[in-house]
Amino acid sequence: MASKREVLMIRQIHESVMRAATPEDILQVGPGASAEDVNTKWKARSLVVHPDKVNGALTADEATEAMKAVNHAKDVLLGNAPRPAAARPPP
């Protein structure tokens, strides 16, 4: 079981991932971030919200949804998935 401090950190990261408006917000990278930066941030986020790593800090459903959001953000930023229409930056 995770300590209270770890649980609080995991919950805060989960909340920031779930209320983020853009893929850049989810991974906390700037627009035009390099593939290396995206992969580094993705790895850090995915290790925190992965369903096998949350140690009771999140429910299985919460961890799964957060992991899906983190993975999709990585795919969008690396060009492997289309950017959602609502998250497209203005021209």
Side-chain angles (χ1 to χ4, degrees):
M1 187 70 175
S3 70
K4 288 183 181 182
R5 185 175 186 178
E6 290 171 327
V7 169
L8 180 60
M9 182 206 51
I10 292 168
R11 298 284 317 158
Q12 288 174 338
I13 291 173
H14 172 263
E15 288 171 17
S16 72
V17 165
M18 297 314 292
R19 63 172 187 253
T22 66
E24 290 85 359
D25 292 341
I26 291 172
L27 295 182
Q28 294 184 333
V29 296
S34 69
E36 183 179 335
D37 289 341
V38 170
N39 282 322
T40 300
K41 292 290 190 163
W42 168 80
K43 185 172 184 175
R45 287 286 173 142
S46 64
L47 286 174
V48 173
V49 298
H50 193 281
D52 292 340
K53 307 280 184 190
V54 294
N55 296 327
L58 301 173
T59 66
D61 290 339
E62 288 173 330
T64 300
E65 288 303 311
M67 194 66 204
K68 286 179 185 178
V70 169
N71 286 336
H72 183 68
K74 179 188 108 175
D75 289 342
V76 168
L77 294 174
L78 294 179
N80 298 330
R83 184 175 287 271
R88 287 195 176 118

